[in-house]
């Protein structure tokens, strides 16, 4: 069920109406909360089963194991292994078969495996819950709560990955459903829809053409295509996150922010506090810290950083290119940590020119890493890099939607910078650039705001790419 489709809008309208009536008709708080949870659970499993009933069976089996293990502490290790092995089986079995067969020069036959919808995301949710219970951060919850947390439909396909304790804080109270939740939620959803179907999907046309035949294009065009992909994956993934956050906001449940102007980062460490925030936070809390974090000496810290990012790369997909992408980021994080130790840079104030140079260098590095992330194989990635540095002639194409996307992003950054300065956002916590993104929400009770909003919706419909490009992270 595509999130931008008539069937989803119909499905969500039924869910919203059911929750709204429950909120208005039922007076007793505890009964209202319980029925609300059941409505959300039925909706979540309907959403998954619509794609394939087998996906719902896998989801339920993992949810049951998660609930059982959290109740029985002696099975904790087994409980952590179950979602890891389940994810490995469905996502990486054919990768292992192919890799070992190629290594030993043997013939092989790939298995006909399905990839359950959202398994990468709800596997992490399951682990999050079990670890939180083990660490005493939350008490074990009811079966209904656990199954709902793992399956909650707005976030199941591509996140955000919400911590269990934060989710339970949201659903263990009466939901505020009405105009106060609908008006900001629908604007956030529309904001994300614009990013996805107008900007990201248009960019995919150019990116796919060049990555499918890089040797046919000039060096300049290939380089522009890599820049276009950096913008495409940002608009695509942040667009989905915004839509998920908006949908959840409409029904009164807040999901965590997932992006915060990542390409304004001055270093790789800051990037991972701005890009896919819920994943980087999860990796830090449940993997990096579990490996020892920075508590076991400098060398072990660097190894833990690299290992965490390599595992993060493997999580994205069954391909050596993802491992290389994770390795590059892991090494960059370790190098930056060494650099900060040597120069004590967090204690220094940097001028505007220095910040701009840092932002450009960081973006170019991230853009380079995206080549491995996007390329279907290591050979294609090397071909693209070689094509860029060769300065060879070929088809030269300046894609107009790339220019449009760049302008949209620059305008968004400029507005955020102006707003941050106007509102006095000067915090340098975690050595981050003192600029924060935001949702440009309007008061839709005002006629002028209504006109602007509906004109914006009209532009989305008029400019939307109708090719049906899937969400990039929907494949992970």
């Amino acid at each position: 069920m595509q999130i931008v489709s008539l069937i989803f809008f119909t499905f969500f309208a039924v869910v919203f109406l059911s929750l709204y009536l429950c909120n208005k008709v039922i007076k007793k708080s505890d009964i209202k909360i319980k029925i609300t949870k059941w409505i959300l659970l039925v909706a979540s499993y309907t959403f998954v089963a619509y794609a394939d009933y087998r996906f719902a069976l896998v989801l339920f089996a993992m949810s049951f194991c998660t609930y059982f293990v959290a109740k029985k502490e002696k099975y904790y290790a087994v409980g952590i292994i179950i979602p890891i092995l389940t994810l490995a089986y469905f996502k990486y079995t054919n990768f292992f078969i192919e890799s070992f067969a190629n290594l030993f020069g043997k013939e092989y036959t790939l298995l006909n495996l399905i990839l359950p919808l959202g398994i990468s995301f709800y596997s992490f949710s399951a682990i999050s819950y079990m670890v939180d219970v083990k660490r005493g951060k939350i008490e074990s919850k009811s079966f209904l709560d656990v199954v709902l947390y793992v399956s909650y439909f707005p976030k199941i396909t591509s996140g955000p990955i919400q911590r269990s304790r934060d989710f339970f804080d949201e659903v263990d109270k009466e939901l505020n459903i009405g105009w106060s939740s609908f008006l900001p939620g629908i604007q956030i959803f529309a904001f994300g829809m614009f990013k996805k179907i107008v900007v990201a999907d248009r960019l995919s046309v150019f990116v796919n053409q060049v990555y499918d035949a890089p040797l046919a294009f000039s060096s300049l065009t290939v380089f522009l295509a890599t820049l276009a992909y950096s913008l495409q994956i940002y608009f695509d993934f942040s667009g989905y996150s915004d839509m998920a956050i908006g949908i959840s906001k409409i029904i009164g449940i807040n999901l965590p922010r997932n992006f915060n102007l990542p390409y304004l980062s001055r270093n790789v460490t800051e990037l991972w506090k701005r890009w896919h925030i819920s994943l980087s936070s999860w990796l830090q809390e449940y993997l990096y810290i579990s490996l020892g974090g920075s508590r076991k000496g400098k060398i072990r810290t660097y190894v833990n950083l690299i290992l965490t990012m390599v595992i993060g790369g493997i999580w994205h997909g069954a391909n050596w290119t993802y491992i290389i992408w994770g390795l590059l980021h892991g090494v960059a994080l370790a190098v930056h940590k060494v650099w900060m130790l040597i120069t004590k840079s967090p204690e220094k104030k940097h001028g505007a020119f220095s910040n701009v140079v840092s932002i450009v260098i960081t973006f170019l590095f991230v853009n380079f890493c995206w080549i491995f992330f996007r390329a279907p194989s290591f050979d294609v990635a090397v071909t693209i890099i070689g094509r860029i540095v060769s300065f060879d002639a070929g088809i030269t194409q300046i894609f107009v939607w790339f220019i449009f996307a760049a302008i949209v992003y620059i305008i968004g950054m400029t507005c955020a910078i102006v707003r941050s300065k106007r509102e006095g956002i000067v915090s340098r916590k975690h050595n981050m650039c003192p600029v924060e993104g935001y949702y440009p929400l309007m008061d839709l009770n005002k006629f002028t705001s209504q006109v602007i909003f509906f004109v914006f919706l009209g532009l989305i419909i008029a400019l939307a790419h109708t090719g049906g490009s899937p969400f990039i992270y929907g494949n992970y």
Side-chain angles (χ1 to χ4, degrees):
M1 190 186 301
Q2 291 290 334
I3 198 171
V4 184
S5 66
L6 182 59
I7 184 65
F8 178 81
F9 294 151
T10 304
F11 159 79
F12 185 69
V14 172
V15 174
F16 176 79
L17 182 60
S18 301
L19 291 170
Y20 181 78
L21 291 176
C22 173
N23 194 52
K24 293 298 182 182
V25 173
I26 299 175
K27 302 302 181 183
K28 198 170 181 180
S29 181
D30 56 340
I31 296 177
K32 183 187 299 186
I33 292 171
K34 191 166 187 177
I35 293 177
T36 294
K37 291 179 180 179
W38 275 108
I39 293 172
L40 290 173
L41 181 62
V42 171
S44 297
Y45 270 83
T46 301
F47 179 82
V48 175
Y50 181 86
D52 193 315
Y53 75 92
R54 294 172 295 178
F55 296 170
L57 294 177
V58 174
L59 173 61
F60 181 80
M62 186 178 294
S63 300
F64 177 80
C65 292
T66 301
Y67 166 77
F68 177 79
V69 167
K71 288 286 187 181
K72 306 291 184 179
E73 187 174 326
K74 62 181 179 179
Y75 297 118
Y76 173 73
V78 176
I80 298 298
I81 291 173
I82 287 174
I84 294 174
L85 289 182
T86 304
L87 180 60
Y89 173 73
F90 286 108
K91 198 167 184 178
Y92 305 110
T93 296
N94 283 330
F95 172 68
F96 292 141
I97 291 174
E98 183 178 6
S99 297
F100 280 108
N102 291 335
L103 180 63
F104 295 105
K106 302 291 184 179
E107 294 184 358
Y108 63 93
T109 301
L110 298 180
L111 302 180
N112 186 24
L113 297 175
I114 60 172
L115 182 62
L117 179 70
I119 189 171
S120 294
F121 289 89
Y122 67 70
S123 295
F124 274 19
S125 293
I127 293 172
S128 167
Y129 171 73
M130 288 183 285
V131 173
D132 283 349
V133 172
K134 174 69 174 179
R135 292 175 176 174
K137 292 185 176 180
I138 60 171
E139 296 181 355
S140 59
K141 307 291 287 186
S142 69
F143 183 67
L144 172 60
D145 286 334
V146 174
V147 177
L148 176 58
Y149 166 63
V150 177
S151 65
Y152 183 53
F153 73 93
K155 67 181 179 63
I156 193 170
T157 303
S158 297
I161 306 170
Q162 189 172 29
R163 289 181 175 90
S164 58
R165 56 187 180 273
D166 295 334
F167 180 78
F168 295 132
D169 286 343
E170 293 290 325
V171 298
D172 284 341
K173 61 186 179 182
E174 291 187 31
L175 301 184
N176 182 22
I177 303 174
W179 282 115
S180 61
S181 64
F182 181 84
L183 295 182
I186 195 64
Q187 291 183 77
I188 295 171
F189 179 86
F191 191 60
M193 189 165 61
F194 173 79
K195 287 181 176 181
K196 167 59 182 168
I197 67 176
V198 174
V199 183
D201 286 0
R202 291 285 182 181
L203 287 173
S204 70
V205 176
F206 177 45
V207 172
N208 292 343
Q209 286 178 346
V210 176
Y211 272 80
D212 288 344
L215 294 178
F217 294 89
S218 67
S219 295
L220 175 61
T221 303
V222 174
F223 176 64
L224 291 178
T226 64
L227 296 178
Y229 183 71
S230 293
L231 292 176
Q232 180 197 349
I233 194 170
Y234 166 73
F235 281 113
D236 187 284
F237 193 20
S238 68
Y240 179 90
S241 295
D242 290 343
M243 282 189 274
I245 291 168
I247 289 168
S248 193
K249 182 73 173 178
I250 288 173
I251 56 178
I253 297 175
N254 294 311
L255 290 179
R257 186 184 204 164
N258 217 16
F259 290 85
N260 182 21
L261 300 174
Y263 295 149
L264 271 183
S265 303
R266 296 172 300 173
N267 51 68
V268 180
T269 300
E270 184 179 330
L271 173 82
W272 282 103
K273 297 182 185 297
R274 291 178 173 272
W275 176 276
H276 203 343
I277 299 169
S278 64
L279 174 63
S280 57
S281 298
W282 192 98
L283 290 173
Q284 180 182 36
E285 183 169 352
Y286 299 104
L287 182 58
Y288 176 70
I289 291 176
S290 297
L291 291 172
S294 57
R295 303 186 303 273
K296 297 185 177 182
K298 294 183 178 60
I299 300 300
R300 179 66 180 272
T301 298
Y302 307 145
V303 172
N304 289 341
L305 280 172
I306 294 172
L307 186 58
T308 297
M309 292 309 300
V310 168
I311 293 174
I314 295 172
W315 174 84
H316 280 85
N319 197 319
W320 287 104
T321 53
Y322 294 116
I323 296 175
I324 294 171
W325 173 81
L327 178 63
L328 288 170
H329 275 280
V331 171
L333 287 170
V335 169
H336 180 250
K337 208 166 189 66
V338 173
W339 174 258
M340 289 193 298
L341 185 65
I342 294 173
T343 63
K344 302 186 184 302
S345 58
E347 300 176 3
K348 296 180 180 179
K349 292 184 178 181
H350 301 284
F353 178 76
S354 177
N355 285 333
V356 170
V357 171
S358 297
I359 290 170
V360 171
I361 291 174
T362 301
F363 175 74
L364 290 176
F365 170 77
V366 172
N367 186 75
F368 173 77
C369 295
W370 282 135
I371 295 174
F372 291 95
F373 192 92
R374 171 59 179 82
S377 67
F378 177 77
D379 290 341
V380 173
V382 171
T383 298
I384 289 172
I385 295 169
R387 191 67 178 173
I388 293 173
V389 300
S390 68
F391 300 102
D392 287 338
I395 299 173
T396 299
Q397 183 177 355
I398 309 298
F399 193 60
V400 65
W401 284 101
F402 167 67
I403 299 174
F404 175 80
I407 292 173
V408 168
Y409 191 79
I410 290 171
I411 290 174
M413 287 195 302
T414 302
C415 291
I417 291 171
V418 171
R419 171 180 171 271
S420 296
K421 288 184 176 180
R422 184 177 66 245
E423 298 184 6
I425 300 175
V426 295
S427 172
R428 291 185 177 271
K429 185 179 180 181
H430 302 305
N431 195 34
M432 289 179 64
C433 184
V435 178
E436 294 183 6
Y438 68 104
Y439 295 116
L441 302 180
M442 301 178 293
D443 182 2
L444 291 185
N445 292 307
K446 296 180 179 179
F447 177 75
T448 304
S449 298
Q450 293 173 10
V451 171
I452 294 172
F453 180 68
F454 282 106
V455 169
F456 180 61
L457 291 181
L459 286 174
I460 293 176
I461 295 172
L463 298 176
H465 176 64
T466 57
S469 179
F471 285 99
I472 293 175
Y473 266 71
N475 299 320
Y476 304 138

